[in-house]
Coordinates of all heavy atoms in Angstrom, one line a residue:
M10 N 128.8 87.8 99.3 CA 127.9 88.5 98.4 C 126.4 88.0 98.5 O 125.6 88.8 98.6 CB 128.5 88.1 96.9 CG 127.5 88.8 95.9 SD 128.3 88.7 94.3 CE 127.7 90.2 93.6
A11 N 126.3 86.6 98.6 CA 125.0 86.2 98.9 C 124.4 86.7 100.2 O 123.2 87.0 100.2 CB 125.0 84.6 98.8
V12 N 125.1 86.8 101.1 CA 124.7 87.1 102.4 C 124.3 88.6 102.4 O 123.3 88.9 102.9 CB 125.9 87.1 103.5 CG1 125.5 87.8 104.8 CG2 126.2 85.6 103.8
A13 N 125.1 89.4 101.6 CA 124.6 90.8 101.4 C 123.3 91.0 100.7 O 122.4 91.8 101.0 CB 125.7 91.5 100.7
I14 N 123.1 90.1 99.7 CA 121.8 90.1 98.9 C 120.6 89.7 99.8 O 119.5 90.4 99.9 CB 121.9 89.2 97.7 CG1 122.9 89.9 96.7 CG2 120.5 89.1 97.0 CD1 123.2 89.1 95.5
V15 N 120.9 88.7 100.6 CA 119.8 88.2 101.4 C 119.5 89.3 102.5 O 118.3 89.5 102.8 CB 120.2 86.9 102.1 CG1 119.2 86.5 103.3 CG2 120.2 85.8 101.1
T16 N 120.5 90.0 103.0 CA 120.3 91.0 104.0 C 119.5 92.1 103.5 O 118.5 92.6 104.0 CB 121.6 91.5 104.6 OG1 122.3 90.5 105.2 CG2 121.4 92.6 105.6
V17 N 119.9 92.7 102.2 CA 119.2 93.8 101.6 C 117.8 93.3 101.3 O 116.9 94.1 101.6 CB 119.9 94.2 100.3 CG1 119.1 95.2 99.4 CG2 121.2 94.7 100.6
V18 N 117.6 92.2 100.8 CA 116.1 91.8 100.4 C 115.4 91.5 101.7 O 114.2 91.9 101.7 CB 116.3 90.4 99.6 CG1 114.9 89.8 99.4 CG2 116.9 90.7 98.2
G19 N 115.9 91.0 102.7 CA 115.1 90.7 103.9 C 114.7 92.0 104.6 O 113.7 92.1 105.2
C20 N 115.6 93.1 104.5 CA 115.3 94.3 105.2 C 114.4 95.3 104.4 O 113.9 96.3 104.9 CB 116.6 95.0 105.6 SG 117.6 94.1 106.7
S21 N 114.3 95.0 103.1 CA 113.5 96.0 102.4 C 111.9 96.0 102.6 O 111.3 97.0 102.6 CB 113.7 95.8 100.7 OG 113.0 94.5 100.4
G22 N 111.5 94.8 103.0 CA 110.1 94.8 103.4 C 109.1 94.9 102.2 O 107.9 94.8 102.3
E23 N 109.5 95.0 101.0 CA 108.8 95.0 99.7 C 108.9 93.8 99.0 O 110.0 93.1 99.1 CB 109.1 96.3 98.9 CG 108.8 97.6 99.6 CD 109.1 98.9 98.8 OE1 109.1 98.6 97.5 OE2 109.3 100.0 99.3
P24 N 108.0 93.5 98.2 CA 108.1 92.3 97.3 C 109.2 92.5 96.4 O 109.6 93.6 96.0 CB 106.8 92.2 96.5 CG 105.9 93.2 97.1 CD 106.6 94.1 97.9
L25 N 109.8 91.3 96.0 CA 111.0 91.4 95.1 C 110.6 91.7 93.7 O 109.6 91.2 93.3 CB 111.7 90.1 95.1 CG 112.4 89.6 96.3 CD1 113.0 88.2 96.1 CD2 113.4 90.6 96.7
S26 N 111.3 92.6 92.9 CA 111.1 92.8 91.6 C 111.7 91.6 90.9 O 112.3 90.7 91.3 CB 111.8 93.9 91.1 OG 113.1 93.8 91.0
T27 N 111.3 91.5 89.5 CA 111.7 90.4 88.8 C 113.1 90.4 88.6 O 113.8 89.3 88.6 CB 111.0 90.3 87.3 OG1 109.5 90.4 87.5 CG2 111.5 89.3 86.5
R28 N 113.6 91.6 88.5 CA 115.1 91.8 88.4 C 115.8 91.2 89.7 O 116.8 90.4 89.6 CB 115.5 93.1 88.2 CG 117.0 93.4 88.0 CD 117.2 94.9 87.9 NE 116.5 95.5 86.8 CZ 115.7 96.5 86.8 NH1 115.5 97.1 88.0 NH2 115.1 97.0 85.8
E29 N 115.3 91.6 90.8 CA 115.9 91.1 92.1 C 115.8 89.6 92.2 O 116.6 88.9 92.7 CB 115.2 91.8 93.2 CG 115.5 93.3 93.4 CD 114.6 94.0 94.3 OE1 113.5 93.6 94.5 OE2 115.0 95.2 94.6
K30 N 114.6 89.0 91.9 CA 114.5 87.6 91.9 C 115.5 86.8 91.1 O 116.0 85.9 91.5 CB 113.0 87.1 91.5 CG 111.9 87.5 92.5 CD 110.6 87.1 91.9 CE 109.4 87.7 92.7 NZ 108.1 87.5 92.1
G31 N 115.6 87.4 89.9 CA 116.6 86.7 88.9 C 118.0 86.8 89.4 O 118.8 85.8 89.5
T32 N 118.3 87.9 90.1 CA 119.7 88.0 90.8 C 119.8 87.2 91.8 O 120.9 86.4 92.0 CB 119.9 89.5 91.1 OG1 119.7 90.4 90.0 CG2 121.3 89.7 91.6
F33 N 118.9 87.1 92.6 CA 118.8 86.2 93.9 C 119.0 84.7 93.5 O 119.8 84.0 94.0 CB 117.7 86.5 94.7 CG 117.7 85.8 96.0 CD1 118.6 86.3 97.1 CD2 116.8 84.8 96.4 CE1 118.6 85.6 98.3 CE2 116.7 84.1 97.6 CZ 117.6 84.6 98.6
I34 N 118.2 84.3 92.5 CA 118.2 82.9 92.1 C 119.6 82.6 91.5 O 120.2 81.5 91.6 CB 116.9 82.6 91.3 CG1 115.7 82.6 92.1 CG2 117.2 81.2 90.6 CD1 114.5 82.6 91.2
G35 N 120.0 83.5 90.5 CA 121.2 83.3 89.9 C 122.4 83.2 90.9 O 123.3 82.3 90.7
T36 N 122.4 84.0 91.9 CA 123.4 84.0 92.9 C 123.5 82.6 93.6 O 124.5 81.9 93.7 CB 123.3 85.0 94.0 OG1 123.3 86.3 93.3 CG2 124.3 85.0 95.0
G37 N 122.3 82.1 94.0 CA 122.2 80.8 94.7 C 122.6 79.7 93.8 O 123.4 78.7 94.3
L38 N 122.0 79.7 92.6 CA 122.4 78.5 91.7 C 124.0 78.6 91.3 O 124.6 77.5 91.3 CB 121.6 78.7 90.4 CG 120.1 78.3 90.6 CD1 119.3 78.5 89.3 CD2 119.9 76.9 91.1
G39 N 124.4 79.9 91.2 CA 125.8 80.0 90.8 C 126.7 79.6 92.0 O 127.7 78.8 91.7
A40 N 126.4 79.8 93.2 CA 127.1 79.4 94.4 C 127.1 77.9 94.6 O 128.2 77.4 94.8 CB 126.6 80.2 95.6
A41 N 126.0 77.4 94.3 CA 125.9 75.9 94.5 C 126.7 75.2 93.4 O 127.5 74.3 93.7 CB 124.4 75.5 94.4
T42 N 126.6 75.7 92.2 CA 127.3 75.0 91.1 C 128.9 75.2 91.3 O 129.6 74.3 91.1 CB 126.9 75.6 89.7 OG1 125.5 75.4 89.5 CG2 127.6 75.0 88.6
G43 N 129.2 76.5 91.7 CA 130.6 76.8 91.9 C 131.2 75.9 93.0 O 132.3 75.5 92.9
A44 N 130.4 75.6 94.1 CA 130.8 75.0 95.2 C 131.1 73.5 94.8 O 132.1 72.8 95.2 CB 129.8 74.9 96.4
I45 N 130.2 72.9 94.0 CA 130.5 71.5 93.4 C 131.5 71.5 92.6 O 132.4 70.5 92.7 CB 129.1 71.1 92.7 CG1 127.9 71.0 93.7 CG2 129.4 69.8 91.9 CD1 126.6 70.8 92.9
I46 N 131.8 72.4 91.6 CA 132.9 72.5 90.8 C 134.2 72.6 91.7 O 135.3 72.0 91.5 CB 132.8 73.4 89.6 CG1 131.7 73.0 88.7 CG2 134.2 73.6 88.9 CD1 131.4 74.1 87.9
G47 N 134.1 73.6 92.6 CA 135.2 73.9 93.4 C 135.7 72.6 94.2 O 136.8 72.4 94.4
A48 N 134.7 71.8 94.7 CA 135.0 70.7 95.5 C 135.7 69.7 94.7 O 136.6 68.9 95.2 CB 133.7 70.2 96.1
A49 N 135.3 69.6 93.4 CA 136.0 68.6 92.6 C 137.6 69.0 92.4 O 138.3 68.1 92.2 CB 135.4 68.6 91.2
V50 N 137.8 70.3 92.5 CA 139.4 70.6 92.3 C 139.8 71.0 93.7 O 141.1 71.4 93.6 CB 139.5 71.8 91.3 CG1 138.9 71.5 89.9 CG2 138.7 73.1 91.8
G51 N 139.2 70.8 94.7 CA 139.8 70.9 96.0 C 139.6 72.3 96.6 O 140.2 72.6 97.8
N52 N 138.7 73.2 96.1 CA 138.5 74.4 96.9 C 137.1 74.8 96.7 O 136.7 75.8 95.8 CB 139.5 75.6 96.2 CG 139.6 76.8 97.2 OD1 138.8 76.9 98.1 ND2 140.7 77.5 97.0
P53 N 136.1 74.2 97.5 CA 134.7 74.7 97.4 C 134.4 76.0 97.6 O 133.5 76.5 97.1 CB 134.0 73.6 98.3 CG 135.0 73.2 99.2 CD 136.4 73.3 98.4
L54 N 135.0 76.7 98.6 CA 134.7 78.1 98.9 C 135.0 79.0 97.8 O 134.2 79.9 97.6 CB 135.5 78.4 100.2 CG 134.9 77.7 101.5 CD1 135.8 78.2 102.8 CD2 133.5 77.9 101.7
A55 N 136.1 78.9 97.2 CA 136.5 79.7 96.1 C 135.5 79.5 95.0 O 135.1 80.4 94.3 CB 137.9 79.5 95.7
G56 N 135.2 78.2 94.6 CA 134.3 77.9 93.6 C 132.9 78.5 93.9 O 132.3 79.1 93.0
A57 N 132.5 78.4 95.2 CA 131.1 79.0 95.5 C 131.2 80.6 95.4 O 130.2 81.2 94.8 CB 130.8 78.7 97.0
A58 N 132.3 81.1 95.8 CA 132.3 82.7 95.6 C 132.3 83.0 94.1 O 131.6 84.0 93.8 CB 133.6 83.2 96.3
I59 N 133.2 82.5 93.4 CA 133.2 82.7 91.9 C 131.9 82.4 91.2 O 131.3 83.2 90.5 CB 134.3 82.0 91.2 CG1 135.6 82.5 91.7 CG2 134.3 82.0 89.7 CD1 136.8 81.6 91.4
G60 N 131.2 81.3 91.5 CA 130.0 80.9 91.0 C 128.9 81.9 91.4 O 128.0 82.3 90.6
A61 N 129.0 82.3 92.7 CA 128.0 83.3 93.1 C 128.0 84.6 92.3 O 127.0 85.2 91.9 CB 128.1 83.6 94.6
G62 N 129.2 85.0 92.1 CA 129.4 86.3 91.3 C 128.9 86.1 89.8 O 128.1 87.0 89.4
V63 N 129.4 85.1 89.3 CA 128.9 84.8 87.8 C 127.4 84.6 87.8 O 126.7 85.1 87.0 CB 129.7 83.6 87.4 CG1 129.1 83.2 85.9 CG2 131.1 83.9 87.2
G64 N 126.8 83.8 88.8 CA 125.4 83.6 88.9 C 124.6 84.9 89.1 O 123.5 85.0 88.5
A65 N 125.1 85.7 89.8 CA 124.4 87.0 90.2 C 124.3 87.8 88.9 O 123.3 88.5 88.6 CB 125.1 87.8 91.3
V66 N 125.4 87.9 88.1 CA 125.5 88.7 86.9 C 124.4 88.1 85.9 O 123.6 88.8 85.4 CB 126.9 88.8 86.4 CG1 126.9 89.4 85.0 CG2 127.7 89.6 87.3
G67 N 124.5 86.8 85.8 CA 123.6 86.1 84.7 C 122.3 86.2 85.2 O 121.4 86.6 84.5
G68 N 122.0 86.2 86.6 CA 120.5 86.3 87.0 C 120.0 87.6 86.8 O 118.9 87.9 86.5
Y69 N 120.9 88.6 87.2 CA 120.5 90.0 87.0 C 120.1 90.4 85.4 O 119.1 90.9 85.1 CB 121.7 91.0 87.4 CG 121.4 92.4 87.0 CD1 120.6 93.2 87.9 CD2 121.8 93.0 85.8 CE1 120.3 94.5 87.6 CE2 121.4 94.4 85.6 CZ 120.7 95.1 86.4 OH 120.3 96.4 86.1
V70 N 120.9 89.8 84.6 CA 120.6 90.0 83.1 C 119.4 89.4 82.6 O 118.6 90.0 82.1 CB 121.9 89.5 82.2 CG1 121.5 89.4 80.8 CG2 123.1 90.3 82.4
V71 N 119.1 88.1 83.1 CA 117.9 87.5 82.8 C 116.7 88.1 83.5 O 115.8 88.4 82.8 CB 118.0 86.0 83.1 CG1 116.6 85.3 83.0 CG2 119.0 85.3 82.4
G72 N 116.9 88.5 84.7 CA 115.7 89.2 85.5 C 115.5 90.5 84.9 O 114.3 90.9 84.8
N73 N 116.4 91.2 84.5 CA 116.2 92.6 83.9 C 115.5 92.4 82.6 O 114.6 93.3 82.4 CB 117.7 93.2 83.7 CG 117.4 94.7 83.3 OD1 116.8 95.5 84.0 ND2 118.1 95.1 82.2
S74 N 115.9 91.5 81.8 CA 115.3 91.3 80.5 C 113.8 91.0 80.8 O 112.9 91.5 80.1 CB 115.9 90.3 79.8 OG 115.2 89.9 78.4
M75 N 113.5 90.0 81.7 CA 112.1 89.6 81.9 C 111.4 90.8 82.5 O 110.2 91.1 82.1 CB 112.1 88.5 83.0 CG 112.6 87.2 82.5 SD 112.8 85.9 83.7 CE 111.0 85.7 84.1
Q76 N 111.9 91.7 83.3 CA 111.3 92.9 84.0 C 110.9 93.8 82.8 O 109.8 94.4 82.8 CB 112.1 93.4 85.0 CG 111.4 94.6 85.8 CD 112.0 95.0 87.1 OE1 112.7 94.1 87.7 NE2 112.0 96.3 87.4
N77 N 111.9 94.0 81.9 CA 111.6 95.0 80.9 C 110.5 94.5 79.9 O 109.7 95.3 79.6 CB 112.9 95.2 80.0 CG 113.9 96.0 80.8 OD1 113.6 96.8 81.8 ND2 115.2 95.9 80.3
S78 N 110.4 93.1 79.8 CA 109.3 92.6 79.0 C 108.0 92.7 79.6 O 106.9 93.0 79.1 CB 109.6 91.1 78.7 OG 110.7 90.9 77.9
E79 N 108.0 92.5 81.1 CA 106.8 92.7 81.8 C 106.2 94.1 81.7 O 105.0 94.4 81.5 CB 107.0 92.3 83.3 CG 107.2 90.9 83.5 CD 107.6 90.6 84.9 OE1 107.9 91.5 85.7 OE2 107.8 89.3 85.2
K80 N 107.1 95.1 81.7 CA 106.8 96.5 81.7 C 106.2 96.8 80.3 O 105.2 97.5 80.2 CB 107.9 97.4 82.0 CG 108.4 97.5 83.4 CD 109.6 98.5 83.6 CE 109.9 98.6 85.1 NZ 111.0 99.5 85.3
A81 N 106.9 96.3 79.3 CA 106.4 96.5 77.9 C 105.0 95.9 77.7 O 104.1 96.5 77.2 CB 107.4 95.9 76.8
S82 N 104.7 94.8 78.3 CA 103.6 94.0 78.2 C 102.4 94.8 79.0 O 101.3 95.0 78.4 CB 103.6 92.6 78.8 OG 102.4 91.9 78.7
A83 N 102.8 95.3 80.1 CA 101.8 96.1 80.8 C 101.5 97.4 80.1 O 100.3 97.8 80.1 CB 102.4 96.5 82.2
Q84 N 102.4 98.1 79.5 CA 102.2 99.2 78.8 C 101.3 98.9 77.5 O 100.4 99.8 77.3 CB 103.5 99.9 78.3 CG 103.4 101.3 77.6 CD 104.7 101.9 77.3 OE1 105.6 101.2 77.1 NE2 104.7 103.2 77.2
T85 N 101.6 97.9 76.9 CA 100.7 97.5 75.8 C 99.4 97.3 76.2 O 98.3 97.7 75.7 CB 101.3 96.3 75.0 OG1 102.6 96.6 74.6 CG2 100.4 95.9 73.8
Q86 N 99.1 96.6 77.4 CA 97.7 96.2 77.9 C 97.0 97.5 78.3 O 95.9 97.7 78.0 CB 97.9 95.3 79.0 CG 96.5 94.8 79.5 CD 95.8 94.1 78.4 OE1 96.3 93.1 77.8 NE2 94.5 94.4 78.3
S87 N 97.8 98.5 78.8 CA 97.2 99.7 79.2 C 96.6 100.4 78.0 O 95.6 101.0 77.9 CB 98.2 100.6 79.8 OG 97.7 102.0 80.1
Q88 N 97.5 100.4 76.9 CA 97.0 101.1 75.6 C 95.8 100.4 75.1 O 94.9 101.1 74.5 CB 98.1 101.1 74.7 CG 99.4 102.0 75.0 CD 100.6 101.8 74.0 OE1 100.7 100.9 73.4 NE2 101.4 102.8 74.1
I89 N 95.7 99.1 75.1 CA 94.6 98.4 74.6 C 93.3 98.7 75.4 O 92.3 98.9 74.8 CB 94.9 96.7 74.7 CG1 95.9 96.4 73.6 CG2 93.6 96.0 74.4 CD1 96.6 95.1 73.8
N90 N 93.4 98.8 76.7 CA 92.4 99.1 77.6 C 91.9 100.6 77.2 O 90.7 100.8 77.1 CB 92.8 99.0 79.0 CG 93.0 97.7 79.4 OD1 92.6 96.7 78.8 ND2 93.7 97.5 80.5
S91 N 92.7 101.4 77.1 CA 92.4 102.8 76.6 C 91.6 102.9 75.4 O 90.6 103.6 75.1 CB 93.7 103.7 76.7 OG 93.5 105.0 76.2
Q92 N 92.2 102.1 74.4 CA 91.5 102.1 73.0 C 90.2 101.4 73.1 O 89.2 101.9 72.4 CB 92.5 101.3 72.0 CG 93.7 102.2 71.7 CD 94.6 101.4 70.8 OE1 94.5 100.2 70.7 NE2 95.7 102.1 70.4
Q93 N 90.0 100.4 74.0 CA 88.6 99.9 74.1 C 87.7 100.8 74.7 O 86.6 100.8 74.3 CB 88.8 98.6 75.0 CG 89.5 97.4 74.2 CD 89.8 96.1 75.2 OE1 89.7 96.3 76.4 NE2 89.8 95.0 74.5
R94 N 88.1 101.5 75.7 CA 87.2 102.6 76.3 C 86.9 103.6 75.3 O 85.6 104.0 75.2 CB 87.9 103.2 77.5 CG 88.0 102.3 78.8 CD 88.5 103.2 79.9 NE 89.8 103.8 79.8 CZ 90.8 103.1 80.2 NH1 90.9 101.9 80.6 NH2 92.0 103.7 79.9
E95 N 87.7 104.0 74.4 CA 87.4 105.1 73.4 C 86.5 104.4 72.4 O 85.5 105.1 71.9 CB 88.7 105.4 72.7 CG 88.6 106.5 71.6 CD 88.0 107.8 72.1 OE1 88.1 108.1 73.3 OE2 87.2 108.5 71.4
I96 N 86.6 103.1 72.1 CA 85.7 102.4 71.1 C 84.3 102.4 71.7 O 83.4 102.7 71.0 CB 86.2 101.1 70.6 CG1 87.4 101.2 69.8 CG2 85.1 100.3 70.1 CD1 88.2 99.8 69.6
Q97 N 84.2 102.0 72.9 CA 83.0 102.0 73.6 C 82.2 103.4 73.7 O 81.0 103.5 73.4 CB 83.0 101.5 75.1 CG 83.4 100.0 75.1 CD 83.7 99.6 76.5 OE1 84.0 100.3 77.5 NE2 83.7 98.2 76.7
N98 N 83.0 104.5 73.9 CA 82.5 105.8 73.9 C 82.0 106.1 72.4 O 80.9 106.8 72.3 CB 83.6 106.9 74.4 CG 83.8 106.7 75.9 OD1 83.0 106.3 76.6 ND2 85.0 107.1 76.3
Q99 N 82.7 105.8 71.5 CA 82.4 106.2 70.2 C 81.1 105.3 69.8 O 80.2 105.9 69.1 CB 83.5 105.9 69.2 CG 84.6 106.9 69.3 CD 85.8 106.5 68.4 OE1 85.8 105.4 67.7 NE2 86.8 107.4 68.4
Q100 N 81.0 104.1 70.3 CA 79.7 103.3 70.0 C 78.5 104.0 70.6 O 77.4 104.0 70.0 CB 80.0 101.9 70.4 CG 80.8 101.1 69.5 CD 81.2 99.6 70.2 OE1 81.1 99.5 71.3 NE2 81.6 98.8 69.3
K101 N 78.7 104.4 71.8 CA 77.6 105.2 72.5 C 77.1 106.5 71.7 O 76.0 106.7 71.6 CB 78.0 105.5 73.9 CG 78.1 104.4 74.9 CD 78.5 104.9 76.2 CE 78.8 103.6 77.2 NZ 79.2 104.1 78.5
Q102 N 78.2 107.1 71.2 CA 77.9 108.3 70.5 C 77.1 108.0 69.1 O 76.2 108.7 68.8 CB 79.2 109.1 70.2 CG 79.8 109.8 71.4 CD 81.2 110.5 71.0 OE1 81.7 110.2 70.0 NE2 81.8 111.2 72.1
I103 N 77.6 106.9 68.4 CA 76.9 106.6 67.3 C 75.5 106.1 67.6 O 74.6 106.5 66.9 CB 77.6 105.3 66.7 CG1 79.0 105.8 66.0 CG2 76.9 104.6 65.6 CD1 80.0 104.7 65.6
Q104 N 75.2 105.4 68.7 CA 73.8 105.0 69.1 C 73.1 106.3 69.3 O 71.8 106.4 68.9 CB 73.9 104.1 70.3 CG 74.3 102.7 69.9 CD 73.5 102.0 68.8 OE1 72.3 102.1 68.7 NE2 74.2 101.2 68.0
Q105 N 73.7 107.3 69.9 CA 72.9 108.5 70.2 C 72.6 109.3 68.9 O 71.4 109.7 68.9 CB 73.8 109.5 71.1 CG 73.8 108.9 72.6 CD 74.9 109.7 73.4 OE1 75.5 110.6 73.0 NE2 74.9 109.5 74.8
L106 N 73.4 109.3 68.1 CA 73.2 110.0 66.8 C 72.1 109.3 66.0 O 71.2 109.9 65.4 CB 74.5 110.0 66.0 CG 75.6 111.0 66.5 CD1 76.9 110.8 65.6 CD2 75.0 112.4 66.4
K107 N 72.1 108.0 66.0 CA 71.1 107.2 65.4 C 69.7 107.4 66.0 O 68.8 107.6 65.3 CB 71.3 105.6 65.5 CG 72.4 105.2 64.5 CD 72.7 103.7 64.5 CE 73.7 103.1 63.6 NZ 73.9 101.8 63.7
S108 N 69.7 107.5 67.3 CA 68.6 107.8 68.0 C 67.9 109.2 67.7 O 66.7 109.3 67.5 CB 68.7 107.5 69.6 OG 69.0 106.3 69.9
Q109 N 68.8 110.1 67.6 CA 68.4 111.5 67.3 C 67.9 111.5 65.8 O 66.9 112.3 65.5 CB 69.6 112.4 67.4 CG 70.0 112.7 68.8 CD 71.3 113.6 68.9 OE1 71.8 113.9 67.9 NE2 71.6 113.9 70.1
Q110 N 68.5 110.8 64.9 CA 68.0 110.8 63.5 C 66.8 110.1 63.3 O 65.9 110.5 62.5 CB 69.1 110.1 62.6 CG 70.2 110.9 62.4 CD 71.3 110.2 61.5 OE1 71.2 109.0 61.2 NE2 72.3 110.9 61.1
E111 N 66.5 109.2 64.1 CA 65.2 108.5 64.0 C 64.0 109.3 64.6 O 62.9 109.1 64.1 CB 65.2 107.1 64.9 CG 66.2 106.0 64.2 CD 66.4 104.9 65.1 OE1 65.7 104.7 66.2 OE2 67.1 104.0 64.6
T112 N 64.3 110.2 65.5 CA 63.3 111.0 66.1 C 63.0 112.2 65.2 O 62.1 112.9 65.6 CB 63.6 111.4 67.5 OG1 64.9 112.2 67.5 CG2 63.7 110.2 68.5
Q113 N 63.8 112.5 64.3 CA 63.5 113.7 63.5 C 62.7 113.4 62.3 O 62.4 112.6 61.8 CB 65.0 114.2 63.0 CG 65.8 114.8 64.1 CD 67.1 115.3 63.6 OE1 67.5 115.2 62.4 NE2 67.9 115.8 64.4

C-alpha cells in the first residue's frame, strides 16, 4: 500500500495536497508503529501492513479535516478582502460627495 502511494505521489508532478500529505504521513507512521508492534509478537511484516492501513485511514481523516479548514479559511479571507475593497470604494465615494458639496 505504501509503495502504491509513493508511486502515485511521485508520478503526479504536482505538490501534495494537505489531504495527501496526511495520508502519506499516516501511512508511514502506521507502518513503522505496526512493524514495531508486529516484531514484538513475531510478525513485523503483518504488523507493518496492518499499521500502514490504519495509519493511512487516520492520516486521510486528519489531512481531509485540515484541508477543509484551509479552504474555509481561504474563503473567509477572500470575503474579507472583497469587503475591504467595497469599503474603500465607498470611502472614495463619500470623499467625492463631500468635495462636491463644498464646491456648491
Side-chain angles (χ1 to χ4, degrees):
M10 178 172 213
V12 172
I14 291 174
V15 170
T16 302
V17 169
V18 169
C20 294
S21 72
E23 295 184 23
L25 295 176
S26 70
T27 303
R28 182 182 303 122
E29 292 166 337
K30 287 177 189 174
T32 303
F33 188 67
I34 291 169
T36 301
L38 291 175
T42 303
I45 292 168
I46 293 170
V50 296
N52 199 342
L54 292 178
I59 293 168
V63 172
V66 170
Y69 174 85
V70 169
V71 171
N73 188 56
S74 176
M75 290 173 65
Q76 185 167 325
N77 289 341
S78 294
E79 288 171 358
K80 285 182 180 179
S82 178
Q84 186 177 23
T85 299
Q86 187 61 47
S87 175
Q88 290 172 343
I89 289 170
N90 292 342
S91 176
Q92 290 173 351
Q93 286 176 335
R94 285 190 301 272
E95 182 61 28
I96 289 170
Q97 289 173 347
N98 287 336
Q99 290 176 356
Q100 287 173 338
K101 287 178 185 177
Q102 290 174 354
I103 290 170
Q104 288 301 321
Q105 288 172 350
L106 290 172
K107 284 183 180 181
S108 294
Q109 288 174 358
Q110 285 179 349
E111 289 173 1
T112 58
Q113 291 179 356

